Amino acid sequence: MSAYKPRAGAWLTLLIAFAVVLSDSPAQAWYLATHRLIALMAYERLSDDVRTEAVKILRNHESFQSDFVAAMPSSLDKNDSAAVDRWMFCQAAAWPDLIGAARFVARNKHDHPTWHYINYPVFLSSDQQRRLQPGLRDNLATRVDAAADLAELNVVQALKLSRSTVENSNAPSAVRSTALCWLLHLVGDAHQPLHDASLFTEKTFPNGDRGGNRIPIIKGNNLHLFWDSFPSPQGSAEDIQAQAARLAATPLTEAQAEAALSLDLAQWIAESREIAQTAVYSDEVLRVVRAAEEAPGKPVAPIDLSGEYIKTAERVAQMRINQAALRLAALLECSFAPKLCPQE
């Protein structure tokens, strides 16, 4: 598949209101700003026909007035249809986390916490793997069969379901709109390594560390939220705009660029799992967890992440955000105009 090149023109200035909920759950993948960044970068790569079709579907959202129209920032020129369409597309990518944050007030029927992640296990040693793996009960299925409980799907299953629903032109318009929001969101989630892996240990984390949520760090809250914070958990509208432009211009290696054209979901997840094993759960992180294993009953000590760890995380996160944007654009082109894409 050939790469979709970004269009010329100014980036939309976004006024982003953050709704970050600190919970013991990996469901808040990437901060809202990052989901909007990925969506914005993908939107700039779409053909006019696909942009038009996507926005048309979003306008049929059952909560369009309350969650889109009423949420538009005052700085947005409502008479600028192109700017409004961009904003709606980015809002759609953040929507699953917005309704997730609202669950602490009132549960939305479209809020599915388990859809955001899959807990592929990482172990401290091969011996622990041999003893622990037979007893693991996390949902690692990759197919959505007729007997599947939709409320318990993982990110792999949810992505496949969302894509098939978006591509089904006979599905009710409101159903397709909700599915498109999830599709825009979950492509980003699949590229956050701590949404595709969890550390399991015999004594400290027999049920997993919930994607790093249970590993505290000194400068921040926990390991999961640290990885969520790239490229920045907050900033002015101008900062967000500059980050989008900078990330879009960040070059990928030849291998990374080639991989970014892949629409193979299994490859996306495999990449995240490898990053989790090599970069996220590094020796400096596992050293502290092993110390906790040797002192049962004592919590994991907060980790002072090294400068080298932080530098690696920044580089990896930038690469994953870029890949997510490229793949989201290509996925939408193929979903709305399949004749233009080769068979997968």
Side-chain angles (χ1 to χ4, degrees), residues 41-81:
M41 293 164 65
Y43 188 86
E44 293 296 327
R45 294 176 173 271
L46 296 178
S47 65
D48 290 337
D49 288 347
V50 171
R51 285 182 179 177
T52 299
E53 182 64 17
V55 172
K56 177 182 176 182
I57 291 174
L58 291 176
R59 287 183 178 275
N60 288 311
H61 198 284
E62 64 183 59
S63 300
F64 183 68
Q65 288 298 320
S66 61
D67 294 352
F68 289 80
V69 175
M72 289 183 187
S74 58
S75 60
L76 183 64
D77 183 356
K78 311 304 188 297
N79 295 316
D80 185 342
S81 60

mmCIF file of all heavy atoms in Angstrom, residues 41-81:
data_model
loop_
_atom_site.group_PDB
_atom_site.id
_atom_site.type_symbol
_atom_site.label_atom_id
_atom_site.label_comp_id
_atom_site.label_asym_id
_atom_site.label_seq_id
_atom_site.Cartn_x
_atom_site.Cartn_y
_atom_site.Cartn_z
ATOM 1 N N MET A 41 -3.494 14.192 13.067
ATOM 2 C CA MET A 41 -2.450 13.828 12.118
ATOM 3 C C MET A 41 -2.998 12.890 11.044
ATOM 4 O O MET A 41 -2.633 12.985 9.871
ATOM 5 C CB MET A 41 -1.280 13.189 12.862
ATOM 6 C CG MET A 41 -0.531 14.163 13.776
ATOM 7 S SD MET A 41 0.536 13.327 14.995
ATOM 8 C CE MET A 41 1.743 12.558 13.918
ATOM 9 N N ALA A 42 -3.894 11.971 11.444
ATOM 10 C CA ALA A 42 -4.507 11.066 10.466
ATOM 11 C C ALA A 42 -5.455 11.827 9.544
ATOM 12 O O ALA A 42 -5.473 11.597 8.324
ATOM 13 C CB ALA A 42 -5.254 9.954 11.197
ATOM 14 N N TYR A 43 -6.226 12.736 10.106
ATOM 15 C CA TYR A 43 -7.212 13.497 9.329
ATOM 16 C C TYR A 43 -6.540 14.261 8.191
ATOM 17 O O TYR A 43 -7.080 14.357 7.089
ATOM 18 C CB TYR A 43 -7.935 14.471 10.256
ATOM 19 C CG TYR A 43 -9.106 15.187 9.631
ATOM 20 C CD1 TYR A 43 -10.371 14.604 9.618
ATOM 21 C CD2 TYR A 43 -8.967 16.453 9.076
ATOM 22 C CE1 TYR A 43 -11.463 15.257 9.059
ATOM 23 C CE2 TYR A 43 -10.047 17.118 8.508
ATOM 24 C CZ TYR A 43 -11.291 16.518 8.501
ATOM 25 O OH TYR A 43 -12.366 17.171 7.953
ATOM 26 N N GLU A 44 -5.363 14.817 8.469
ATOM 27 C CA GLU A 44 -4.646 15.580 7.446
ATOM 28 C C GLU A 44 -4.198 14.708 6.284
ATOM 29 O O GLU A 44 -3.869 15.225 5.212
ATOM 30 C CB GLU A 44 -3.430 16.263 8.074
ATOM 31 C CG GLU A 44 -3.767 17.362 9.075
ATOM 32 C CD GLU A 44 -4.490 18.524 8.436
ATOM 33 O OE1 GLU A 44 -4.216 18.827 7.255
ATOM 34 O OE2 GLU A 44 -5.344 19.130 9.099
ATOM 35 N N ARG A 45 -4.214 13.390 6.456
ATOM 36 C CA ARG A 45 -3.768 12.479 5.407
ATOM 37 C C ARG A 45 -4.925 11.892 4.590
ATOM 38 O O ARG A 45 -4.688 11.196 3.611
ATOM 39 C CB ARG A 45 -2.959 11.332 6.029
ATOM 40 C CG ARG A 45 -1.654 11.792 6.644
ATOM 41 C CD ARG A 45 -0.929 10.635 7.334
ATOM 42 N NE ARG A 45 0.396 11.066 7.758
ATOM 43 C CZ ARG A 45 1.488 11.000 7.023
ATOM 44 N NH1 ARG A 45 1.423 10.518 5.795
ATOM 45 N NH2 ARG A 45 2.646 11.429 7.479
ATOM 46 N N LEU A 46 -6.137 12.125 5.032
ATOM 47 C CA LEU A 46 -7.276 11.486 4.378
ATOM 48 C C LEU A 46 -7.652 12.168 3.064
ATOM 49 O O LEU A 46 -7.490 13.380 2.905
ATOM 50 C CB LEU A 46 -8.486 11.505 5.315
ATOM 51 C CG LEU A 46 -8.363 10.716 6.613
ATOM 52 C CD1 LEU A 46 -9.629 10.882 7.450
ATOM 53 C CD2 LEU A 46 -8.080 9.248 6.341
ATOM 54 N N SER A 47 -8.189 11.394 2.167
ATOM 55 C CA SER A 47 -8.746 11.953 0.932
ATOM 56 C C SER A 47 -10.027 12.709 1.261
ATOM 57 O O SER A 47 -10.652 12.487 2.305
ATOM 58 C CB SER A 47 -9.041 10.832 -0.067
ATOM 59 O OG SER A 47 -10.055 9.983 0.450
ATOM 60 N N ASP A 48 -10.433 13.604 0.364
ATOM 61 C CA ASP A 48 -11.643 14.393 0.601
ATOM 62 C C ASP A 48 -12.865 13.499 0.776
ATOM 63 O O ASP A 48 -13.721 13.758 1.638
ATOM 64 C CB ASP A 48 -11.870 15.368 -0.552
ATOM 65 C CG ASP A 48 -10.853 16.497 -0.577
ATOM 66 O OD1 ASP A 48 -10.265 16.784 0.486
ATOM 67 O OD2 ASP A 48 -10.652 17.086 -1.663
ATOM 68 N N ASP A 49 -12.969 12.460 -0.033
ATOM 69 C CA ASP A 49 -14.140 11.585 0.034
ATOM 70 C C ASP A 49 -14.232 10.877 1.384
ATOM 71 O O ASP A 49 -15.326 10.753 1.951
ATOM 72 C CB ASP A 49 -14.093 10.546 -1.084
ATOM 73 C CG ASP A 49 -14.380 11.148 -2.453
ATOM 74 O OD1 ASP A 49 -14.857 12.303 -2.498
ATOM 75 O OD2 ASP A 49 -14.112 10.470 -3.462
ATOM 76 N N VAL A 50 -13.101 10.413 1.884
ATOM 77 C CA VAL A 50 -13.111 9.698 3.159
ATOM 78 C C VAL A 50 -13.385 10.656 4.314
ATOM 79 O O VAL A 50 -14.129 10.333 5.249
ATOM 80 C CB VAL A 50 -11.777 8.945 3.370
ATOM 81 C CG1 VAL A 50 -11.680 8.387 4.783
ATOM 82 C CG2 VAL A 50 -11.660 7.821 2.351
ATOM 83 N N ARG A 51 -12.815 11.846 4.245
ATOM 84 C CA ARG A 51 -13.119 12.852 5.268
ATOM 85 C C ARG A 51 -14.618 13.124 5.314
ATOM 86 O O ARG A 51 -15.238 13.153 6.382
ATOM 87 C CB ARG A 51 -12.396 14.158 4.961
ATOM 88 C CG ARG A 51 -10.915 14.166 5.235
ATOM 89 C CD ARG A 51 -10.387 15.547 4.923
ATOM 90 N NE ARG A 51 -8.957 15.661 5.170
ATOM 91 C CZ ARG A 51 -8.261 16.744 4.919
ATOM 92 N NH1 ARG A 51 -8.856 17.809 4.404
ATOM 93 N NH2 ARG A 51 -6.963 16.791 5.172
ATOM 94 N N THR A 52 -15.202 13.341 4.153
ATOM 95 C CA THR A 52 -16.623 13.659 4.068
ATOM 96 C C THR A 52 -17.470 12.531 4.637
ATOM 97 O O THR A 52 -18.420 12.764 5.394
ATOM 98 C CB THR A 52 -17.028 13.926 2.603
ATOM 99 O OG1 THR A 52 -16.278 15.041 2.107
ATOM 100 C CG2 THR A 52 -18.508 14.220 2.494
ATOM 101 N N GLU A 53 -17.128 11.296 4.286
ATOM 102 C CA GLU A 53 -17.893 10.141 4.761
ATOM 103 C C GLU A 53 -17.769 9.977 6.276
ATOM 104 O O GLU A 53 -18.756 9.708 6.963
ATOM 105 C CB GLU A 53 -17.423 8.871 4.058
ATOM 106 C CG GLU A 53 -18.188 7.606 4.434
ATOM 107 C CD GLU A 53 -19.650 7.645 4.021
ATOM 108 O OE1 GLU A 53 -20.024 8.488 3.176
ATOM 109 O OE2 GLU A 53 -20.430 6.829 4.547
ATOM 110 N N ALA A 54 -16.564 10.152 6.795
ATOM 111 C CA ALA A 54 -16.351 10.007 8.231
ATOM 112 C C ALA A 54 -17.154 11.041 9.018
ATOM 113 O O ALA A 54 -17.817 10.716 10.011
ATOM 114 C CB ALA A 54 -14.865 10.126 8.558
ATOM 115 N N VAL A 55 -17.093 12.291 8.586
ATOM 116 C CA VAL A 55 -17.823 13.357 9.281
ATOM 117 C C VAL A 55 -19.327 13.147 9.164
ATOM 118 O O VAL A 55 -20.074 13.388 10.124
ATOM 119 C CB VAL A 55 -17.408 14.740 8.739
ATOM 120 C CG1 VAL A 55 -18.306 15.833 9.311
ATOM 121 C CG2 VAL A 55 -15.954 15.025 9.079
ATOM 122 N N LYS A 56 -19.766 12.683 8.014
ATOM 123 C CA LYS A 56 -21.191 12.399 7.824
ATOM 124 C C LYS A 56 -21.667 11.358 8.832
ATOM 125 O O LYS A 56 -22.749 11.500 9.436
ATOM 126 C CB LYS A 56 -21.423 11.897 6.395
ATOM 127 C CG LYS A 56 -22.858 11.494 6.106
ATOM 128 C CD LYS A 56 -22.978 10.953 4.684
ATOM 129 C CE LYS A 56 -24.404 10.459 4.407
ATOM 130 N NZ LYS A 56 -24.503 9.890 3.022
ATOM 131 N N ILE A 57 -20.873 10.322 9.030
ATOM 132 C CA ILE A 57 -21.225 9.283 9.996
ATOM 133 C C ILE A 57 -21.254 9.854 11.412
ATOM 134 O O ILE A 57 -22.172 9.579 12.198
ATOM 135 C CB ILE A 57 -20.231 8.106 9.902
ATOM 136 C CG1 ILE A 57 -20.428 7.355 8.582
ATOM 137 C CG2 ILE A 57 -20.403 7.146 11.082
ATOM 138 C CD1 ILE A 57 -19.403 6.276 8.335
ATOM 139 N N LEU A 58 -20.267 10.672 11.757
ATOM 140 C CA LEU A 58 -20.197 11.236 13.104
ATOM 141 C C LEU A 58 -21.383 12.145 13.412
ATOM 142 O O LEU A 58 -21.823 12.236 14.561
ATOM 143 C CB LEU A 58 -18.888 12.001 13.290
ATOM 144 C CG LEU A 58 -17.620 11.154 13.321
ATOM 145 C CD1 LEU A 58 -16.388 12.053 13.403
ATOM 146 C CD2 LEU A 58 -17.652 10.181 14.492
ATOM 147 N N ARG A 59 -21.908 12.807 12.416
ATOM 148 C CA ARG A 59 -23.047 13.708 12.634
ATOM 149 C C ARG A 59 -24.324 12.937 13.000
ATOM 150 O O ARG A 59 -25.303 13.542 13.438
ATOM 151 C CB ARG A 59 -23.293 14.571 11.393
ATOM 152 C CG ARG A 59 -22.241 15.663 11.202
ATOM 153 C CD ARG A 59 -22.552 16.548 10.016
ATOM 154 N NE ARG A 59 -21.558 17.613 9.887
ATOM 155 C CZ ARG A 59 -21.608 18.763 10.539
ATOM 156 N NH1 ARG A 59 -22.620 19.004 11.371
ATOM 157 N NH2 ARG A 59 -20.678 19.680 10.368
ATOM 158 N N ASN A 60 -24.289 11.613 12.839
ATOM 159 C CA ASN A 60 -25.430 10.790 13.227
ATOM 160 C C ASN A 60 -25.271 10.203 14.625
ATOM 161 O O ASN A 60 -26.059 9.341 15.032
ATOM 162 C CB ASN A 60 -25.619 9.652 12.216
ATOM 163 C CG ASN A 60 -26.146 10.143 10.884
ATOM 164 O OD1 ASN A 60 -27.120 10.889 10.834
ATOM 165 N ND2 ASN A 60 -25.494 9.736 9.803
ATOM 166 N N HIS A 61 -24.255 10.657 15.351
ATOM 167 C CA HIS A 61 -24.023 10.156 16.710
ATOM 168 C C HIS A 61 -25.234 10.468 17.584
ATOM 169 O O HIS A 61 -25.796 11.555 17.530
ATOM 170 C CB HIS A 61 -22.768 10.815 17.287
ATOM 171 C CG HIS A 61 -22.207 10.094 18.467
ATOM 172 N ND1 HIS A 61 -22.772 10.159 19.715
ATOM 173 C CD2 HIS A 61 -21.111 9.295 18.589
ATOM 174 C CE1 HIS A 61 -22.062 9.436 20.562
ATOM 175 N NE2 HIS A 61 -21.053 8.890 19.905
ATOM 176 N N GLU A 62 -25.646 9.508 18.396
ATOM 177 C CA GLU A 62 -26.842 9.707 19.212
ATOM 178 C C GLU A 62 -26.652 10.784 20.278
ATOM 179 O O GLU A 62 -27.639 11.331 20.789
ATOM 180 C CB GLU A 62 -27.275 8.402 19.863
ATOM 181 C CG GLU A 62 -26.299 7.818 20.846
ATOM 182 C CD GLU A 62 -26.782 6.477 21.387
ATOM 183 O OE1 GLU A 62 -27.006 5.545 20.594
ATOM 184 O OE2 GLU A 62 -26.953 6.386 22.611
ATOM 185 N N SER A 63 -25.403 11.101 20.613
ATOM 186 C CA SER A 63 -25.125 12.172 21.575
ATOM 187 C C SER A 63 -24.466 13.362 20.881
ATOM 188 O O SER A 63 -23.673 14.083 21.485
ATOM 189 C CB SER A 63 -24.224 11.655 22.699
ATOM 190 O OG SER A 63 -24.827 10.590 23.387
ATOM 191 N N PHE A 64 -24.792 13.540 19.611
ATOM 192 C CA PHE A 64 -24.115 14.571 18.823
ATOM 193 C C PHE A 64 -24.296 15.966 19.424
ATOM 194 O O PHE A 64 -23.333 16.733 19.527
ATOM 195 C CB PHE A 64 -24.631 14.556 17.386
ATOM 196 C CG PHE A 64 -23.945 15.535 16.482
ATOM 197 C CD1 PHE A 64 -22.612 15.364 16.139
ATOM 198 C CD2 PHE A 64 -24.621 16.637 15.977
ATOM 199 C CE1 PHE A 64 -21.961 16.270 15.303
ATOM 200 C CE2 PHE A 64 -23.986 17.545 15.140
ATOM 201 C CZ PHE A 64 -22.650 17.364 14.807
ATOM 202 N N GLN A 65 -25.496 16.298 19.837
ATOM 203 C CA GLN A 65 -25.740 17.635 20.377
ATOM 204 C C GLN A 65 -25.009 17.858 21.697
ATOM 205 O O GLN A 65 -24.354 18.882 21.895
ATOM 206 C CB GLN A 65 -27.248 17.860 20.571
ATOM 207 C CG GLN A 65 -28.018 18.031 19.273
ATOM 208 C CD GLN A 65 -27.561 19.241 18.478
ATOM 209 O OE1 GLN A 65 -27.271 20.309 19.028
ATOM 210 N NE2 GLN A 65 -27.462 19.085 17.166
ATOM 211 N N SER A 66 -25.083 16.898 22.603
ATOM 212 C CA SER A 66 -24.489 17.090 23.929
ATOM 213 C C SER A 66 -22.985 16.888 23.961
ATOM 214 O O SER A 66 -22.268 17.628 24.641
ATOM 215 C CB SER A 66 -25.154 16.140 24.927
ATOM 216 O OG SER A 66 -24.946 14.781 24.541
ATOM 217 N N ASP A 67 -22.480 15.888 23.228
ATOM 218 C CA ASP A 67 -21.064 15.536 23.321
ATOM 219 C C ASP A 67 -20.190 16.138 22.224
ATOM 220 O O ASP A 67 -18.962 16.085 22.319
ATOM 221 C CB ASP A 67 -20.906 14.011 23.308
ATOM 222 C CG ASP A 67 -21.513 13.357 24.535
ATOM 223 O OD1 ASP A 67 -21.920 14.097 25.456
ATOM 224 O OD2 ASP A 67 -21.592 12.122 24.581
ATOM 225 N N PHE A 68 -20.828 16.720 21.214
ATOM 226 C CA PHE A 68 -20.068 17.333 20.131
ATOM 227 C C PHE A 68 -20.423 18.821 19.993
ATOM 228 O O PHE A 68 -19.577 19.669 20.260
ATOM 229 C CB PHE A 68 -20.305 16.588 18.814
ATOM 230 C CG PHE A 68 -19.663 15.230 18.769
ATOM 231 C CD1 PHE A 68 -20.266 14.137 19.381
ATOM 232 C CD2 PHE A 68 -18.448 15.033 18.133
ATOM 233 C CE1 PHE A 68 -19.672 12.884 19.362
ATOM 234 C CE2 PHE A 68 -17.833 13.791 18.101
ATOM 235 C CZ PHE A 68 -18.455 12.709 18.723
ATOM 236 N N VAL A 69 -21.634 19.120 19.622
ATOM 237 C CA VAL A 69 -22.020 20.517 19.394
ATOM 238 C C VAL A 69 -21.831 21.352 20.658
ATOM 239 O O VAL A 69 -21.184 22.406 20.634
ATOM 240 C CB VAL A 69 -23.478 20.611 18.908
ATOM 241 C CG1 VAL A 69 -23.903 22.072 18.789
ATOM 242 C CG2 VAL A 69 -23.636 19.904 17.567
ATOM 243 N N ALA A 70 -22.380 20.892 21.781
ATOM 244 C CA ALA A 70 -22.290 21.664 23.024
ATOM 245 C C ALA A 70 -20.870 21.723 23.568
ATOM 246 O O ALA A 70 -20.540 22.619 24.354
ATOM 247 C CB ALA A 70 -23.225 21.070 24.071
ATOM 248 N N ALA A 71 -20.026 20.782 23.154
ATOM 249 C CA ALA A 71 -18.654 20.737 23.666
ATOM 250 C C ALA A 71 -17.669 21.549 22.836
ATOM 251 O O ALA A 71 -16.497 21.672 23.206
ATOM 252 C CB ALA A 71 -18.178 19.282 23.724
ATOM 253 N N MET A 72 -18.119 22.114 21.719
ATOM 254 C CA MET A 72 -17.211 22.891 20.876
ATOM 255 C C MET A 72 -16.674 24.101 21.640
ATOM 256 O O MET A 72 -17.437 24.814 22.293
ATOM 257 C CB MET A 72 -17.925 23.362 19.608
ATOM 258 C CG MET A 72 -18.216 22.263 18.617
ATOM 259 S SD MET A 72 -18.983 22.911 17.101
ATOM 260 C CE MET A 72 -19.373 21.366 16.267
ATOM 261 N N PRO A 73 -15.364 24.341 21.584
ATOM 262 C CA PRO A 73 -14.786 25.492 22.284
ATOM 263 C C PRO A 73 -15.251 26.813 21.681
ATOM 264 O O PRO A 73 -15.541 26.891 20.475
ATOM 265 C CB PRO A 73 -13.281 25.298 22.110
ATOM 266 C CG PRO A 73 -13.141 24.486 20.874
ATOM 267 C CD PRO A 73 -14.336 23.570 20.857
ATOM 268 N N SER A 74 -15.337 27.834 22.507
ATOM 269 C CA SER A 74 -15.803 29.138 22.038
ATOM 270 C C SER A 74 -14.864 29.731 20.994
ATOM 271 O O SER A 74 -15.272 30.565 20.182
ATOM 272 C CB SER A 74 -15.942 30.100 23.223
ATOM 273 O OG SER A 74 -14.704 30.240 23.896
ATOM 274 N N SER A 75 -13.608 29.302 21.016
ATOM 275 C CA SER A 75 -12.628 29.840 20.066
ATOM 276 C C SER A 75 -12.803 29.280 18.652
ATOM 277 O O SER A 75 -12.223 29.796 17.699
ATOM 278 C CB SER A 75 -11.209 29.537 20.551
ATOM 279 O OG SER A 75 -11.019 28.140 20.669
ATOM 280 N N LEU A 76 -13.602 28.230 18.528
ATOM 281 C CA LEU A 76 -13.794 27.600 17.219
ATOM 282 C C LEU A 76 -14.809 28.395 16.397
ATOM 283 O O LEU A 76 -15.912 28.675 16.859
ATOM 284 C CB LEU A 76 -14.291 26.170 17.406
ATOM 285 C CG LEU A 76 -14.483 25.326 16.142
ATOM 286 C CD1 LEU A 76 -13.166 25.087 15.437
ATOM 287 C CD2 LEU A 76 -15.137 23.991 16.502
ATOM 288 N N ASP A 77 -14.420 28.763 15.178
ATOM 289 C CA ASP A 77 -15.307 29.501 14.286
ATOM 290 C C ASP A 77 -16.362 28.549 13.742
ATOM 291 O O ASP A 77 -16.083 27.715 12.887
ATOM 292 C CB ASP A 77 -14.497 30.119 13.143
ATOM 293 C CG ASP A 77 -15.353 30.966 12.202
ATOM 294 O OD1 ASP A 77 -16.589 31.019 12.396
ATOM 295 O OD2 ASP A 77 -14.787 31.567 11.271
ATOM 296 N N LYS A 78 -17.577 28.661 14.248
ATOM 297 C CA LYS A 78 -18.639 27.740 13.853
ATOM 298 C C LYS A 78 -19.028 27.895 12.387
ATOM 299 O O LYS A 78 -19.700 27.021 11.822
ATOM 300 C CB LYS A 78 -19.870 27.954 14.736
ATOM 301 C CG LYS A 78 -19.611 28.003 16.242
ATOM 302 C CD LYS A 78 -18.909 26.770 16.761
ATOM 303 C CE LYS A 78 -18.852 26.765 18.280
ATOM 304 N NZ LYS A 78 -18.080 27.876 18.873
ATOM 305 N N ASN A 79 -18.626 28.990 11.766
ATOM 306 C CA ASN A 79 -18.936 29.209 10.351
ATOM 307 C C ASN A 79 -17.882 28.609 9.427
ATOM 308 O O ASN A 79 -18.061 28.591 8.214
ATOM 309 C CB ASN A 79 -19.072 30.706 10.061
ATOM 310 C CG ASN A 79 -20.261 31.319 10.786
ATOM 311 O OD1 ASN A 79 -21.344 30.747 10.815
ATOM 312 N ND2 ASN A 79 -20.055 32.488 11.381
ATOM 313 N N ASP A 80 -16.792 28.153 10.006
ATOM 314 C CA ASP A 80 -15.720 27.523 9.235
ATOM 315 C C ASP A 80 -15.983 26.019 9.234
ATOM 316 O O ASP A 80 -15.593 25.311 10.160
ATOM 317 C CB ASP A 80 -14.366 27.845 9.865
ATOM 318 C CG ASP A 80 -13.202 27.326 9.051
ATOM 319 O OD1 ASP A 80 -13.404 26.444 8.193
ATOM 320 O OD2 ASP A 80 -12.058 27.789 9.280
ATOM 321 N N SER A 81 -16.652 25.540 8.208
ATOM 322 C CA SER A 81 -17.067 24.136 8.176
ATOM 323 C C SER A 81 -15.881 23.175 8.220
ATOM 324 O O SER A 81 -15.955 22.109 8.833
ATOM 325 C CB SER A 81 -17.916 23.866 6.937
ATOM 326 O OG SER A 81 -17.182 24.137 5.754
#
